[in-house]
Amino acid sequence: MGELSAVAVLLLATLHEQPMHPYQLHQTLVERGEERLVRITLGAVYHGVERLEREGLVEVVGTDRSGNRPERTTYRLTDQGRTAFARRLTSFLGDDHPAYPLFSVGLAEATDLPRDVVEQQLQRRLDRERARLTDLGSAYETIRAEGLPRRYLLDVEHDLDVMRVEVTWLERVLTELRDGTLSWDEPIPAEFVEARRAARHRAQQSAGVCPSEPALS
């Protein structure tokens, strides 16, 4: 059995509450806004449940048919499923799971684009993140006011804080681009290139390697 995916963990978490059929699982996850965390399609839910059943983590409780609707199979957690869920969820909380955001790659190579293009795209991102922050913050305040205990919303609190930091950073960088504080035409100083070359040479000598001319990456 491989590692449980984020979708699988969400499915098992929902089945902790009560047995459900895949369509009900999908509707519950969508209603709770879990699509904010991972991409959840109806097909992904059906395939996810099928895999969980093959691995012995869920089992069939029964099937039912209502009117002209297709027959629906209801699933529940197994003891093995509870154990696997707890182990994987614990890993999600404490272990390191490196992510490689495309935005970071874009920033790393942004100097290959004209300043006005970079400014335009960062403004697009800022506008979008401001809107997302407003919408998520409003939803959070509403559901808290309705009485949902805070412990059920820690993921939302975390996302809100991360979004606030990104919005603040984008605002600062855009301001600096526009007022010239962040120069987009300044060449790399020769002193920096030489210092990098010397540092790499010293490091290679310490490692027992002595190339004739270490390159600058």
Side-chain angles (χ1 to χ4, degrees):
M1 180 176 66
E3 295 282 13
L4 291 173
S5 68
V7 172
V9 168
L10 289 175
L11 294 175
L12 293 174
T14 309
L15 288 174
H16 257 275
E17 302 170 19
Q18 64 181 49
M20 297 185 190
H21 52 74
Y23 182 79
Q24 184 181 4
L25 278 167
H26 178 257
Q27 290 298 103
T28 300
L29 292 172
V30 170
E31 288 170 2
R32 294 177 179 176
E34 304 291 18
E35 289 177 305
R36 178 178 55 84
L37 303 176
V38 294
R39 184 170 178 268
I40 303 171
T41 64
L42 186 57
V45 170
Y46 274 96
H47 288 306
V49 171
E50 289 173 0
R51 178 177 177 181
L52 292 173
E53 183 185 16
R54 288 197 304 270
E55 295 177 347
L57 305 184
V58 302
E59 62 186 7
V60 175
V61 177
T63 58
D64 65 84
R65 183 188 297 273
S66 177
N68 295 325
R69 293 179 179 176
E71 188 175 77
R72 290 177 174 174
T73 302
T74 300
Y75 297 84
R76 67 184 174 194
L77 278 179
T78 63
D79 289 340
Q80 183 180 350
R82 292 179 187 279
T83 299
F85 166 76
R87 181 172 58 248
R88 186 62 166 157
L89 186 56
T90 300
S91 172
F92 279 8
L93 287 172
D95 291 342
D96 185 26
H97 299 280
Y100 304 97
L102 297 182
F103 182 44
S104 295
V105 178
L107 290 173
E109 307 304 331
T111 52
D112 290 330
L113 294 173
R115 185 196 63 79
D116 61 329
V117 172
V118 173
E119 179 184 327
Q120 180 184 41
Q121 297 310 310
L122 291 183
Q123 184 64 56
R124 284 183 60 216
R125 176 176 287 270
L126 175 58
D127 293 343
R128 185 175 63 248
E129 291 306 298
R130 279 174 173 164
R132 290 180 60 218
L133 178 58
T134 298
D135 291 345
L136 187 59
S138 177
Y140 174 84
E141 295 300 332
T142 297
I143 201 165
R144 283 288 286 137
E146 291 173 350
L148 185 66
R150 184 182 166 209
R151 70 179 185 275
Y152 292 102
L153 294 167
L154 293 180
D155 62 309
V156 180
E157 286 189 7
H158 172 265
D159 286 355
L160 285 170
D161 273 358
V162 170
M163 291 163 68
R164 290 186 187 105
V165 169
E166 178 158 338
V167 164
T168 299
W169 184 86
L170 286 166
E171 289 172 340
R172 183 175 73 250
V173 170
L174 280 166
T175 296
E176 292 172 346
L177 275 173
R178 287 162 179 162
D179 67 15
T181 304
L182 176 56
S183 172
W184 208 249
D185 302 314
E186 182 181 4
I188 298 176
E191 294 82 359
F192 173 80
V193 175
E194 184 57 37
R196 287 276 295 177
R197 180 178 291 116
R200 177 169 296 182
H201 186 65
R202 289 193 298 271
Q204 290 173 332
Q205 283 184 319
S206 298
V209 179
C210 190
S212 58
E213 185 67 21
L216 176 69
S217 62

Short mmCIF file of all heavy atoms in Angstrom, two decimals, residues 81 132 164:
data_model
loop_
_atom_site.label_atom_id
_atom_site.label_comp_id
_atom_site.label_asym_id
_atom_site.label_seq_id
_atom_site.Cartn_x
_atom_site.Cartn_y
_atom_site.Cartn_z
N GLY A 81 -8.26 1.14 8.21
CA GLY A 81 -8.39 2.48 7.66
C GLY A 81 -8.17 3.55 8.72
O GLY A 81 -7.52 4.58 8.46
N ARG A 132 -9.26 36.83 -2.92
CA ARG A 132 -9.34 35.55 -2.19
C ARG A 132 -9.27 35.77 -0.69
O ARG A 132 -10.00 35.12 0.08
CB ARG A 132 -8.20 34.63 -2.63
CG ARG A 132 -8.32 34.09 -4.04
CD ARG A 132 -7.14 33.20 -4.37
NE ARG A 132 -7.06 32.08 -3.46
CZ ARG A 132 -5.93 31.56 -2.96
NH1 ARG A 132 -4.77 32.09 -3.30
NH2 ARG A 132 -5.97 30.54 -2.16
N ARG A 164 -2.16 36.91 3.85
CA ARG A 164 -1.87 38.28 4.28
C ARG A 164 -0.40 38.62 4.06
O ARG A 164 -0.06 39.73 3.61
CB ARG A 164 -2.24 38.45 5.75
CG ARG A 164 -3.73 38.42 6.04
CD ARG A 164 -4.02 38.76 7.49
NE ARG A 164 -5.43 38.57 7.81
CZ ARG A 164 -5.92 37.55 8.51
NH1 ARG A 164 -5.09 36.64 8.99
NH2 ARG A 164 -7.21 37.44 8.73
#
